[in-house]
Amino acid sequence: MIEFLNFIPLNLKAMETSTKSLISIEKSKTSKIDKVDFDNLAFGSVFTDHMLVCDYKNGAWENPKIVPYGPITLDPSAKIFHYGQSIFEGMKAYKDIEEAIWLFRPLDNHKRLNISAKRMAIPEIPENYFMEGLSALITLDEKWIPKKAGSSLYIRPFIFASGQGFHASPANEYKFMICLAPSGSYFSGKVKVLIEETYSRSANGGVGYAKAGGNYAGQFYPTQLAIEKGYNQVIWTDDNTHEYIEEAGAMNIFIRINDTLITGPTSDRILDGITRKSIIEIAKDENIKVEVRKITVTEVVEAAKNGSLKEMFGAGTAAVISPISTFGHKGTDYDLPELQESYATRLKNRITDIQYNRAEDKFGWRYKL
Amino acid sequence: MIEFLNFIPLNLKAMETSTKSLISIEKSKTSKIDKVDFDNLAFGSVFTDHMLVCDYKNGAWENPKIVPYGPITLDPSAKIFHYGQSIFEGMKAYKDIEEAIWLFRPLDNHKRLNISAKRMAIPEIPENYFMEGLSALITLDEKWIPKKAGSSLYIRPFIFASGQGFHASPANEYKFMICLAPSGSYFSGKVKVLIEETYSRSANGGVGYAKAGGNYAGQFYPTQLAIEKGYNQVIWTDDNTHEYIEEAGAMNIFIRINDTLITGPTSDRILDGITRKSIIEIAKDENIKVEVRKITVTEVVEAAKNGSLKEMFGAGTAAVISPISTFGHKGTDYDLPELQESYATRLKNRITDIQYNRAEDKFGWRYKL
């Protein structure tokens, strides 16, 4: 069994003292912001004026710098092109009505990035580089944070192998970057999912729990096949029996049977989603009965047939909470009921109210920039 | 079960007629060749004067061009950095004593590249772009083909997602490139391997059979752990029981028990190695008894204990045939005997004699440039 690091809450105050000295800033001479239609944002396709870049060379991360957003140059033998050595995180920045900027559990993203780094043999990024980099970059481009409901500033920290050579071994140079993309919803409209029974996302002892680039490319083809059949996403199952529900690639999966909310346990095959674990805590706080246990496909199909399956939804940073309207399995589509008072809506309201500073944050998850 | 394309031999003559019209060439004004120490080449760390680049845009592969070897420029949101959408091939060019240049089964590499492409949702590359690109590039840089025994010109065709955006879906733009690297041996000295019992390389229904970038990065950390224990490579086992021998990441695995040569069957978890299948055919031609069947770890350990395990070796383009001197399993090292007349040596001589045009090629594998 692979050991996971625990997420230990750190002292946020201690970190803020040295801010602004670490990061050098080269400002863009012009801004692209006037060319952006903030009322019609797609997901992750428009980028702000600046980006953070930090190189790993000679065994150490160099000082991070903020520069105008623009192309990067690499040798064709850079290992990212050949061996997929890359990891990333997904985060969002929120503005409240008083224009204060908030992040949501950013230290958890830093911890998870380093968990991914370890599994992918990438050097870990120091916490102050990550946190101060985020802070300086978002502050600089804060006008790009969308105000329209449902839109947000999507934050993409990522690390990839820039070192050269065709030997199949870890690179000796890396780039850590942060880019910002004002974004609309990840899904538009109802989400139909297909429970996969042929392809798989991850192996026992593999890299499924890491936010590694290759985990995503491997899902594209099976997802395309599902899209051709009229679904939006695939719900992955275990690679050995296809009987256990795992995750949906871009989100963790929750199901509600009668009044119990159930989600699968994380493992070395399943991403430890920050939205997922927040939803578990909020649901408990709402006095919803929560079970974290293995979910079988048979159980979900039976529950759909006998009417006890009330809801299914995905949870993730990009997708927030995305209610599933239909799931397909072995050629049959099962429609979920439309509830007046769904857990999905209730939990989405609770978490977004915390994220946008519209309500008390009893969990201490909000992080002010 | 996933269907695999068959490798159908094509008419080589038909393809040669249109050569040299398709590829545009911009020659380098200077050559770096005088700076290279051809007597002390590492693997894949020095590159020739030119490279081939071909872009996929607006739904089609544009005309390929050969340009001076140099950096490439990409948007930071290019999907290769985020979602690991990349595939590659490994090939070699050989020069005979009359300076004629030979490839080994290049059409099989093209077929396999497109099998990988399909699984990774990458547009397939036309055969003439691949073959004519190879031919024009290697002919232009033919002085770079090393003559020293054990050295060769390693050829790296690869395709990666250059299209932009953070949506986790296939890119709309790609780059197909070929780079050339005069290279020494992949392994130096004896190869010690560790039979893995915790980590895994691939899942049933996953991408293990594709030469996808992410398959390699996922191996780096477990391989580092093995290296720290004194081994060179990991022999992967199935992710469910760790009882079946799969492959060694950079090579397929053969074992010899008494006088029978055994290798595992290919599957959706195991790369269909071109050296592997050539070795199977050569061994049969040598009247060696060959079995393609599942190999259990228990069987290998038992054979090592009772002395019936005579040889283990890896087979791959980069590694050619690499005899294994020791394998480790559950804390015990098992040394292989040193044979005077090993299958490994005999088969390596046969295949390299074909590759370097030192012997008859009754199989029709050699391909003259």
Side-chain angles (χ1 to χ4, degrees), chain B residues 168-186:
Chain B
S169 51
N172 57 2
E173 296 185 357
Y174 297 85
K175 274 188 193 294
F176 165 55
M177 298 184 64
I178 307 177
C179 296
L180 307 176
S183 294
S185 300
Y186 194 83

Side-chain angles (χ1 to χ4, degrees), chain A residues 8-245:
Chain A
I8 302 157
L10 297 184
N11 184 339
L12 306 191
K13 295 287 176 199
M15 178 181 327
E16 289 173 11
T17 55
S18 65
T19 308
K20 298 197 197 308
S21 56
L22 184 66
I23 318 280
S24 72
I25 299 180
E26 180 201 338
K27 282 193 188 172
S28 173
K29 294 195 174 89
T30 56
S31 175
K32 302 168 294 188
I33 198 166
D34 292 339
K35 294 177 188 146
V36 176
D37 179 3
F38 278 84
D39 288 329
N40 293 290
L41 288 169
F43 182 85
S45 61
V46 169
F47 311 100
T48 68
D49 288 324
H50 299 90
M51 61 186 189
L52 179 123
V53 186
C54 182
D55 285 302
Y56 181 91
K57 286 180 180 170
N58 303 315
W61 287 104
E62 295 181 347
N63 283 351
K65 52 184 187 286
I66 289 172
V67 295
Y69 184 92
I72 47 179
T73 296
L74 292 164
D75 193 84
S77 75
K79 294 200 180 191
I80 180 60
F81 299 127
H82 304 274
Y83 303 127
Q85 203 186 3
S86 69
I87 54 175
F88 69 94
E89 278 296 318
M91 309 171 69
K92 284 178 176 173
Y94 311 89
K95 242 181 197 174
D96 67 23
I97 52 166
E98 293 182 338
E99 305 268 309
I101 303 164
W102 301 90
L103 298 178
F104 185 72
R105 310 185 78 172
L107 289 163
D108 287 357
N109 290 98
H110 173 254
K111 294 272 180 204
R112 190 172 62 183
L113 186 64
N114 279 347
I115 289 171
S116 300
K118 187 176 176 186
R119 183 60 181 87
M120 302 311 286
I122 288 173
E124 294 180 23
I125 197 88
E127 187 183 292
N128 59 339
Y129 283 36
F130 184 87
M131 293 302 297
E132 294 183 26
L134 274 178
S135 175
L137 181 64
I138 296 166
T139 305
L140 185 62
D141 281 346
E142 57 118 352
K143 286 182 184 163
W144 288 81
I145 303 175
K147 285 163 193 164
K148 191 184 172 192
S151 294
S152 59
L153 187 71
Y154 184 78
I155 304 165
R156 171 54 59 89
F158 59 111
I159 307 179
F160 64 88
S162 53
Q164 305 176 15
F166 294 154
H167 201 282
S169 51
N172 57 3
E173 295 185 359
Y174 297 85
K175 272 187 194 295
F176 166 56
M177 298 184 64
I178 306 177
C179 296
L180 307 175
S183 294
S185 300
Y186 193 83
F187 293 111
S188 52
K190 293 182 175 180
V191 180
K192 288 181 69 176
V193 297
L194 178 66
I195 298 180
E196 184 61 51
E197 47 187 318
T198 303
Y199 297 98
S200 303
R201 180 182 169 277
S202 61
N204 299 302
V207 301
Y209 70 96
K211 259 184 118 64
N215 284 341
Y216 293 78
Q219 300 180 54
F220 291 170
Y221 176 66
T223 303
Q224 276 186 323
L225 297 180
I227 289 170
E228 284 167 15
K229 292 178 190 162
Y231 302 95
N232 303 89
Q233 283 248 311
V234 165
I235 292 193
W236 298 104
T237 49
D238 68 290
D239 80 310
N240 194 38
T241 65
H242 294 293
E243 176 58 9
Y244 296 96
I245 300 281

Side-chain angles (χ1 to χ4, degrees), chain B residues 94-135:
Chain B
Y94 310 90
K95 241 181 197 176
D96 68 21
I97 51 167
E98 294 182 336
E99 304 269 308
I101 303 163
W102 300 90
L103 299 177
F104 185 71
R105 309 185 78 172
L107 289 162
D108 287 358
N109 290 96
H110 172 257
K111 295 273 178 203
R112 191 173 62 183
L113 186 65
N114 279 347
I115 289 170
S116 300
K118 186 175 177 186
R119 182 62 181 85
M120 303 309 287
I122 289 173
E124 294 179 23
I125 196 85
E127 186 183 292
N128 59 341
Y129 283 36
F130 184 87
M131 293 302 296
E132 293 182 26
L134 274 179
S135 175

Side-chain angles (χ1 to χ4, degrees), chain B residues 20 22 40 75 113 122 124 140 158 163 176 179 200 211 219 224 237 264 277 290-291 305 330 343 364:
Chain B
K20 297 194 198 311
L22 182 67
N40 294 291
D75 194 84
L113 186 65
I122 289 173
E124 294 179 23
L140 185 62
F158 60 111
F176 165 55
C179 296
S200 303
K211 259 184 117 64
Q219 299 180 54
Q224 277 185 324
T237 49
K277 65 184 182 181
V290 182
E291 291 178 4
K305 284 179 179 167
K330 291 193 191 291
Y343 284 177

Side-chain angles (χ1 to χ4, degrees), chain B residues 31-38 49 141 143-145:
Chain B
S31 176
K32 303 168 292 188
I33 197 165
D34 291 340
K35 294 176 190 147
V36 177
D37 178 3
F38 279 84
D49 289 324
D141 280 346
K143 286 181 184 164
W144 288 82
I145 303 175

